[in-house]
Amino acid sequence: MKSFFYGMVVECIIGIISLIMKDSGFFMKASGVVGFGSLIISGIISGFMSENIYRRIAVENAEERRSRLDWSGNIFTFSIPGIIGFLLTYFYV
């Protein structure tokens, strides 16, 4: 849940900057970069976007796999507020 909170903090900072700049396009672009960028990084770290995932699983132990998947889950949770902010801005502004 801490990563979701940090994602909300980043979205609030992006919102404040876009209000100061008076540019809603900045909010949409920055939220998209943060949200979808974190989502892609999460997929890369988890091995979902890798063609040699079976080779990685064969050489890592359970602790390394758990650590890798924990990082991936935290980054995915961090990306959720950015994706929601992007979608709300895209459809309603």
Side-chain angles (χ1 to χ4, degrees):
M1 284 310 279
K2 284 195 308 186
S3 57
F4 184 78
F5 174 72
Y6 293 145
M8 291 295 294
V9 169
V10 169
E11 282 299 303
C12 289
I13 291 170
I14 292 171
I16 291 169
I17 291 171
S18 70
L19 285 175
I20 291 171
M21 293 174 52
K22 297 177 183 163
D23 184 16
S24 63
F26 173 77
F27 182 80
M28 186 173 78
K29 291 174 189 172
S31 294
V33 167
V34 169
F36 292 111
S38 298
L39 186 66
I40 290 170
I41 291 171
S42 171
I44 290 170
I45 290 175
S46 72
F48 181 71
M49 297 181 181
S50 175
E51 63 188 42
N52 61 358
I53 188 164
Y54 298 111
R55 189 177 321 148
R56 179 178 300 144
I57 291 173
V59 297
E60 70 181 0
N61 60 25
E63 183 180 329
E64 291 171 344
R65 184 175 64 240
R66 176 172 287 152
S67 174
R68 178 174 51 88
L69 293 178
D70 283 346
W71 270 98
S72 176
N74 287 337
I75 294 172
F76 174 76
T77 308
F78 176 81
S79 72
I80 293 172
I83 293 171
I84 292 172
F86 172 80
L87 292 175
L88 289 176
T89 307
Y90 183 76
F91 288 116
Y92 294 113
V93 175

